[in-house]
Amino acid sequence: MSRDPLISDLIARLLDGLPEDAVLTDPDVTASYSHDMASFCPAGEPAVVVLPRTTEQVQHVMRTATELRVPVVPQGARSGLSGAANASDGCIVLSLIRMDRVLEINAVDRYAVVEPGVINADLSRAVEEKGLCYPPDPSSWEMCTIGGNIGTASGGLCCVKYGVTAEYVLGLKVVLADGRLLTTGRRTAKGVAGYDLTRLFVGSEGSLGVVVEAVLALKPKPPRQLVLAAEFGSAAAAGDAVCRIMEGGHVPSLLELMDRTTLKAVNDLARMGLPEETEALLLAAFDTADPAADLAAVGALCEAAGATQVIPADTPAESELLLKARRLSLIALEAVKGATMIDDVCVPRSRLTEMLEGVERIAAKFQLTIGVCAHAGDGNTHPTVCFDAADPEESRRARESFDEIMALGLELGGTITGEHGVGILKKEWLAREAGPVAMELQRAVKDAFDPLGLLNPGKLF
Amino acid sequence: MSRDPLISDLIARLLDGLPEDAVLTDPDVTASYSHDMASFCPAGEPAVVVLPRTTEQVQHVMRTATELRVPVVPQGARSGLSGAANASDGCIVLSLIRMDRVLEINAVDRYAVVEPGVINADLSRAVEEKGLCYPPDPSSWEMCTIGGNIGTASGGLCCVKYGVTAEYVLGLKVVLADGRLLTTGRRTAKGVAGYDLTRLFVGSEGSLGVVVEAVLALKPKPPRQLVLAAEFGSAAAAGDAVCRIMEGGHVPSLLELMDRTTLKAVNDLARMGLPEETEALLLAAFDTADPAADLAAVGALCEAAGATQVIPADTPAESELLLKARRLSLIALEAVKGATMIDDVCVPRSRLTEMLEGVERIAAKFQLTIGVCAHAGDGNTHPTVCFDAADPEESRRARESFDEIMALGLELGGTITGEHGVGILKKEWLAREAGPVAMELQRAVKDAFDPLGLLNPGKLF
C-alpha cells in the first residue's frame, strides 16, 4: 500500500532528527498507541508514533510538527481515565516513555530531578532507598509515568495527608509547540518570581507544552502506616464517621471507603471473605509516631458514628491485607460486566453521605450496578458504572448515569474531576463547572502557549 | 485649585456606583496611599483612592477604569516590600481593606471563605477558636491582609513545615479588568478541572485581576511548639547544622537563623542579652506530639555540627522569648541606619553557607552593614542592607550591594525572591532569572487577562 505523500514527508522529516527505532509507522503498531484506558472516548489513527530519548529530539518533533502543521498528542503510559492521551486522526503520537531517567535525588534539598517517562513506582522506590518519599500514589502507580501524573495532576490514596501531584512539582523544563525550550520554577523550597507557569502546566493534559524534565519535591520517609477497618450498616453512618474524624483534627495517611457493591465484587474476584452484608467499609491509616493511639481514637469515633465492627491491624502485614481489598476494587468492579466507567467526582467531605446515597438512587434509576470506592477523607468518590460494552442499550444507560453522577457532584458543591482530569470524557462538563468567563480565559491561555492549536487538540475544550 | 476635567469626570463616574465615603480625593490623603514599605521604588500620585465594601462596587470601579482607560493599582495593607502596591501617576488606587469579613469557617471541610481585606492575624485567631489553623504567617501578619498575601504569594516562618500561601488557596472570586466576575477553583480537598487559574492569580501582584473572595484551606491546630536555640562560631557551622537536620528527615515547624550583625542590632534595640560574639544563632521548633524528643535529636545534630551552646526551651513561654529576638530582627536592623533594603533571595538549603559567606564579602566590599536573618530551613535568606537614606553615596552602595546579593543567589541556583515578590524592585531581575522564553509567556498571560494593560501597570515586567 502506497503511503500518503504528506505522511511520507512528515516521516522523512522526523527521521532527520530521530533514530529509526524512535519512529513507528506500522499501522498495526501505531494503532496500539491510539488510546488510554477511558471508556466512551473516540480515538483517531495516528500518522506516526515517535519515542524520543532526549530533549533535543522532542524539540525536533515539535519544530517539525509546527512547520508541517501536524497535531501532536503527548503520551505517558496511557493509563489515564479521561481520554486525554487519545490520538486524533493523522497526529504525531509523542510517547515520552523512553525518557525514563532519574537524574538526581537530593536528600538535603529534598528534591528529585526526573525525566517524564519515569514510572511513579520506580521513583518512589529510588527515593525510599535514600530515606525519602515521593507521596503522590495514583492507583496505577506501578505503571503510570511522572509525565502523565503531571499532565493529569493526578491524586491517589495518600492525598488526604500529603496532597496531590501539583503540590510536588517545583519546576519544569517544557518543549513548547514551536520547539523552544522553556524552564519554569525552581529547585528551592520557596520562590515567587513571576506568574506560576509551573502550576499552569500541571493538569494541562499536554495541551500547553511537552514536559521533558521535572523537579519534584520530596518528603522524609514516614514510619510505616497501620490500618484500621470499620464496618457500617449504612452509607450515612460511614459518612458521619468521616466527618467526625476530620472535624476531630485527625490527619490520617489514608481514609478510604468501599460500598457493599464493591465489597461483593472484590469477594467474587478474590474470595477475600469481606463482610458483604456491610453497607460501607471504612479504612483509616496513620503513619505517625504512635499509630496505634491514633487508630484507637479514630476507632472510637467510628463506633460513636455507629460502626458495627472496628478492626485495627496490629502489624504492617495485617495492614497491607486490609488495603489489598481496596487496591483490587477497580479491577473487581471491571470483572462484574466486563467494562466500567470510573467517575471521580469530588465533593466537600461534609456532603459525602449525600453523594453516596445519590449514586445509589442513580444506580436504581438506570438499573445498573454502580460500585463506589472513595478517597473518603478528601470527599473524592469513584462511582464505577459496570456495564456490558456489547450491549448498546446498557452502554447508553451507563453513559447517562455517568453524566447524572457529575450533575449530582456539582449540585453538592463539588467538582466533576478530583484527580482524573477532563480529557475528552468530561469536556462538556468542564464548561458547565467553570462557566463562560473561566472558559474564555482558559482558551486565551491555550492560545498564548499554542497559537496554532497543535498540542493535543480536542482535549479539555 | 481647579481639578483636571478628566479627573473630575472619573470621580463623578466612580460616585455613580460608590458611596461618597468610599472615594478619597484630597491629595494629602491620597498621597498616603501611594506606596508600600519598599525602599528605592518610585511612586506616582493617584488620581483617586477608592475603598469599596462589595464585589459589585469593585466591578463598578473596574468597569469605569476600562471605559476611561485609567490604570488601577489594587492594594491591601501596603506592608509589601517590593513596591508592588505603589501608585502610578493618575491611577485609581483600589484599596480592599474595607472588604474585611470572614464569611465562613468550616471545620469538617477545613476551609475558610474570606474577603481580601481580612487581616492575616484576625483570620488566624478566628480559625484557632474552632480548633483550626491557617498556617501562612508573614512577619507582618498582625497588619497584612489575606488579599495582599495572595497577591504576593507570601511566606513566613512556618513554611518549612506548612508551605506558603499558594498551597492554601483553593478557589477565588476575581473581578477582571473589564469588570466581569470570574470564579476559579473549588471548595473541595481535590479538583483538577481545567487549567489552574487559581494558582495563576497567587503571586500575580494584582496584575491579572482583583481578588474579592478567597476559599482558603485550613489545617487542624497543631500542639504548641517548643523552641531550641543553638549558637555557632561560624556561619558555615550553622549552615552545616541546617543540612544535617533536613537530611536527617526532621520536620521542624520553624528553622530560623540570625547572624552576628542581627544579634547585635536586636541587643542594641531591646537589650535582650543575646550572645553577640556568636557568629550565628539557629532557632529550631517542633509542634509534634513529643517536641522535647525532637529538640533533643536536633540539639545533638547541632552539637555534631559544632554548636558552642544548645539551649532547649522547656515551656511555650520560654519558646516565645527565644522567638522574640527573631521577630524583632527587621525592626532592629532598620534602627541601625534609619533605612533598610530587605532582600529575600532563596537558595537550595545545601548552598546556605555559601550564601551567608557571600553576603559577608559583599558587605565588606561595599563597606555596609548587612544583617542576615533567614528562614534557614527553606534556604530563604533576608540579607538586610542598612543605610542612611539621606546619604546619596551610601544609598547608591546599598542599591548596588542589593543587586550583587541577587546575582549571588542566582549563581547558587536560587531565586531572586522567595516570598516578597517582584513588584518594581526586582523587575529587571525577574527577566534575568526567568529568561526570554518565560518572559514572553508571562507577558502573553498578562495580555490574555488584561488586554488594555490597566491592572497595576509597570509591576513585574
Side-chain angles (χ1 to χ4, degrees):
Chain A
M1 196 180 76
S2 76
R3 194 178 271 158
D4 179 329
L6 285 175
I7 294 185
S8 298
D9 180 41
L10 168 64
I11 290 165
R13 295 227 202 173
L14 287 170
L15 284 167
D16 282 347
L18 289 167
E20 235 169 280
D21 78 329
V23 181
L24 309 182
T25 57
D26 179 341
D28 291 340
V29 176
T30 57
S32 72
Y33 285 82
S34 66
H35 59 85
D36 64 19
M37 290 171 68
S39 298
F40 291 112
C41 292
E45 282 179 31
V48 56
V49 173
V50 294
L51 295 139
R53 284 192 190 277
T54 68
T55 294
E56 292 69 29
Q57 290 175 357
V58 174
Q59 291 184 281
H60 173 72
V61 171
M62 292 313 306
R63 273 193 295 261
T64 305
T66 289
E67 269 173 47
L68 302 182
R69 304 289 193 267
V70 180
V72 175
V73 177
Q75 280 186 352
R78 291 182 288 112
S79 54
L81 292 164
S82 70
N86 281 17
S88 42
D89 274 328
C91 78
I92 302 171
V93 162
L94 172 51
S95 171
L96 283 310
I97 54 172
R98 288 189 187 165
M99 292 183 70
D100 62 354
R101 290 176 304 163
V102 175
L103 302 171
E104 187 187 349
I105 297 173
N106 186 320
V108 172
D109 294 313
R110 291 184 185 165
Y111 67 73
V113 184
V114 305
E115 291 184 332
V118 170
I119 304 291
N120 180 301
D122 290 343
L123 175 64
S124 294
R125 283 188 279 261
V127 303
E128 214 174 280
E129 276 172 29
K130 308 209 169 194
L132 295 160
C133 166
Y134 177 67
D137 61 343
S139 297
S140 55
W141 75 302
E142 287 283 3
M143 63 176 298
C144 63
T145 65
I146 296 296
N149 295 171
I150 292 171
T152 55
S154 59
L157 271 66
C158 72
C159 300
V160 64
K161 178 166 182 177
Y162 293 103
V164 291
T165 297
E167 292 176 41
Y168 292 87
V169 185
L170 297 177
L172 294 171
K173 284 193 181 168
V174 179
V175 175
L176 298 173
D178 59 12
R180 286 182 302 166
L181 186 64
L182 167 71
T183 303
T184 73
R186 56 198 159 86
R187 292 183 185 212
T188 51
K190 291 155 79 180
V192 295
Y195 300 142
D196 192 343
L197 299 185
T198 305
R199 205 53 76 98
L200 204 49
F201 283 101
V202 180
S204 66
E205 302 184 353
S207 68
L208 301 179
V210 182
V211 171
V212 290
E213 194 178 298
V215 184
L216 303 173
L218 303 173
K219 298 260 182 199
K221 188 178 156 188
R224 288 196 70 172
Q225 63 185 7
L226 277 187
V227 178
L228 164 152
E231 299 170 17
F232 294 88
S234 71
D240 182 29
V242 169
C243 291
R244 285 172 193 245
I245 292 167
M246 300 309 281
E247 192 172 19
H250 296 282
V251 185
S253 50
L254 66 82
L255 186 52
E256 297 288 315
L257 181 145
M258 298 163 70
D259 73 350
R260 182 160 64 167
T261 306
T262 308
L263 291 168
K264 183 176 180 318
V266 173
N267 268 347
D268 287 349
L269 182 81
R271 318 251 161 255
M272 290 187 74
L274 295 169
E276 290 189 16
E277 68 289 353
T278 293
E279 283 298 322
L281 183 78
L282 208 59
L283 297 167
F286 286 86
D287 59 3
T288 48
D290 186 3
D294 290 306
L295 288 188
V298 160
L301 290 175
C302 287
E303 277 162 3
T308 51
Q309 200 172 356
V310 171
I311 310 148
D314 294 321
T315 64
E318 265 181 55
S319 296
E320 270 312 302
L321 205 66
L322 289 173
L323 286 185
K324 199 182 156 194
R326 171 62 184 89
R327 293 196 205 279
L328 285 174
S329 297
L330 295 181
I331 301 167
L333 287 166
E334 204 160 282
V336 173
K337 284 271 192 165
T340 53
M341 289 191 81
I342 305 167
D343 216 325
D344 71 317
V345 167
C346 188
V347 295
R349 59 179 77 89
S350 57
R351 316 296 296 270
L352 188 59
T353 296
E354 288 164 86
M355 186 69 202
L356 296 170
E357 293 176 346
V359 170
E360 233 171 279
R361 276 197 309 275
I362 292 167
K365 174 178 166 187
F366 289 96
Q367 295 173 282
L368 287 165
T369 299
I370 306 181
V372 180
C373 51
H375 310 307
D378 286 323
N380 192 180
T381 66
H382 291 306
T384 303
V385 184
C386 306
F387 67 101
D388 176 358
D391 178 343
E393 202 276 328
E394 187 164 290
S395 298
R396 184 190 54 73
R397 277 186 285 131
R399 174 78 230 196
E400 279 177 25
S401 71
F402 191 78
D403 284 351
E404 207 147 308
I405 289 167
M406 284 190 279
L408 172 64
L410 290 183
E411 219 177 279
L412 295 175
T415 171
I416 54 160
T417 175
E419 56 182 10
H420 293 170
V422 174
I424 296 173
L425 191 63
K426 299 189 171 185
K427 269 164 70 165
E428 302 103 65
W429 287 90
L430 173 61
R432 197 153 148 182
E433 175 171 337
V437 179
M439 288 312 291
E440 190 184 312
L441 289 169
Q442 302 246 357
R443 286 201 185 87
V445 167
K446 166 74 174 173
D447 287 344
F449 281 79
D450 178 22
L452 298 174
L454 296 177
L455 279 163
N456 215 7
K459 314 298 161 57
L460 282 164
F461 33 68
Chain B
M1 196 180 73
S2 76
R3 194 179 270 158
D4 179 329
L6 286 175
I7 295 185
S8 298
D9 180 41
L10 168 64
I11 290 165
R13 295 228 203 171
L14 287 169
L15 284 167
D16 282 346
L18 289 168
E20 235 171 278
D21 77 332
V23 181
L24 310 182
T25 57
D26 179 341
D28 292 341
V29 177
T30 59
S32 71
Y33 286 82
S34 66
H35 59 85
D36 63 21
M37 289 172 70
S39 298
F40 291 112
C41 291
E45 283 179 29
V48 56
V49 173
V50 294
L51 295 140
R53 284 191 190 277
T54 68
T55 294
E56 292 69 30
Q57 289 174 358
V58 174
Q59 291 184 279
H60 173 71
V61 171
M62 291 314 305
R63 273 194 294 261
T64 306
T66 289
E67 268 174 47
L68 303 181
R69 304 289 193 268
V70 180
V72 175
V73 177
Q75 281 185 352
R78 291 183 288 110
S79 53
L81 292 164
S82 70
N86 282 16
S88 43
D89 275 328
C91 77
I92 301 169
V93 161
L94 172 50
S95 171
L96 282 310
I97 54 173
R98 288 188 187 165
M99 292 182 70
D100 62 354
R101 290 177 304 163
V102 175
L103 301 171
E104 186 187 349
I105 297 173
N106 186 320
V108 172
D109 294 313
R110 291 185 185 165
Y111 68 71
V113 184
V114 303
E115 291 184 332
V118 170
I119 304 291
N120 180 300
D122 289 343
L123 175 63
S124 295
R125 283 188 280 260
V127 301
E128 216 174 280
E129 276 171 28
K130 308 208 170 194
L132 296 160
C133 166
Y134 177 68
D137 61 343
S139 297
S140 54
W141 74 302
E142 287 283 5
M143 64 177 297
C144 64
T145 64
I146 295 297
N149 295 172
I150 292 170
T152 55
S154 59
L157 271 65
C158 72
C159 300
V160 65
K161 178 164 183 178
Y162 293 102
V164 292
T165 297
E167 293 176 41
Y168 292 87
V169 184
L170 296 178
L172 293 172
K173 285 193 180 167
V174 180
V175 174
L176 298 172
D178 59 12
R180 285 183 302 167
L181 186 64
L182 167 71
T183 303
T184 74
R186 55 198 159 88
R187 293 185 184 210
T188 50
K190 292 156 80 180
V192 297
Y195 300 142
D196 191 345
L197 300 184
T198 305
R199 204 54 74 98
L200 204 50
F201 282 101
V202 180
S204 67
E205 302 185 352
S207 68
L208 300 179
V210 182
V211 171
V212 291
E213 194 176 300
V215 184
L216 303 173
L218 304 173
K219 298 260 184 199
K221 187 179 158 188
R224 286 196 71 171
Q225 63 185 7
L226 276 188
V227 178
L228 164 152
E231 300 171 16
F232 294 88
S234 72
D240 182 30
V242 170
C243 291
R244 287 172 191 245
I245 292 166
M246 300 308 281
E247 194 173 17
H250 296 283
V251 184
S253 50
L254 65 83
L255 187 53
E256 297 287 316
L257 180 144
M258 299 164 70
D259 74 350
R260 182 159 66 166
T261 305
T262 307
L263 292 169
K264 185 178 177 316
V266 172
N267 267 347
D268 288 349
L269 183 81
R271 318 249 161 257
M272 290 188 74
L274 297 168
E276 289 190 14
E277 64 289 348
T278 293
E279 283 297 323
L281 184 78
L282 209 60
L283 297 166
F286 286 85
D287 59 3
T288 49
D290 186 2
D294 290 306
L295 289 187
V298 159
L301 290 175
C302 287
E303 276 162 4
T308 52
Q309 201 172 355
V310 170
I311 310 149
D314 295 320
T315 64
E318 265 181 56
S319 295
E320 270 312 303
L321 205 65
L322 289 172
L323 286 185
K324 198 182 158 195
R326 171 63 185 88
R327 294 198 203 277
L328 285 174
S329 296
L330 295 181
I331 300 166
L333 287 165
E334 202 160 282
V336 172
K337 284 270 193 167
T340 53
M341 287 190 82
I342 305 166
D343 216 326
D344 71 318
V345 167
C346 187
V347 295
R349 58 179 78 88
S350 57
R351 316 297 295 271
L352 188 59
T353 297
E354 289 164 86
M355 187 70 204
L356 296 170
E357 291 177 347
V359 171
E360 233 172 277
R361 277 197 308 278
I362 291 168
K365 174 179 165 186
F366 288 97
Q367 295 175 279
L368 287 165
T369 298
I370 306 182
V372 180
C373 50
H375 309 306
D378 286 323
N380 193 181
T381 66
H382 291 307
T384 304
V385 185
C386 306
F387 67 101
D388 176 357
D391 177 343
E393 202 276 329
E394 187 164 289
S395 298
R396 184 189 51 76
R397 278 186 284 132
R399 174 77 229 197
E400 282 178 21
S401 71
F402 190 78
D403 284 350
E404 209 148 304
I405 289 166
M406 282 191 279
L408 173 63
L410 290 183
E411 221 177 277
L412 295 175
T415 172
I416 55 160
T417 175
E419 57 181 10
H420 292 170
V422 174
I424 296 173
L425 192 63
K426 299 189 170 184
K427 268 165 69 165
E428 302 103 62
W429 286 89
L430 173 61
R432 200 154 147 180
E433 175 170 336
V437 179
M439 289 311 292
E440 191 183 311
L441 289 170
Q442 301 246 356
R443 286 200 186 88
V445 168
K446 166 73 175 172
D447 287 345
F449 282 78
D450 178 23
L452 298 174
L454 296 178
L455 278 164
N456 215 5
K459 314 298 161 58
L460 283 164
F461 33 68

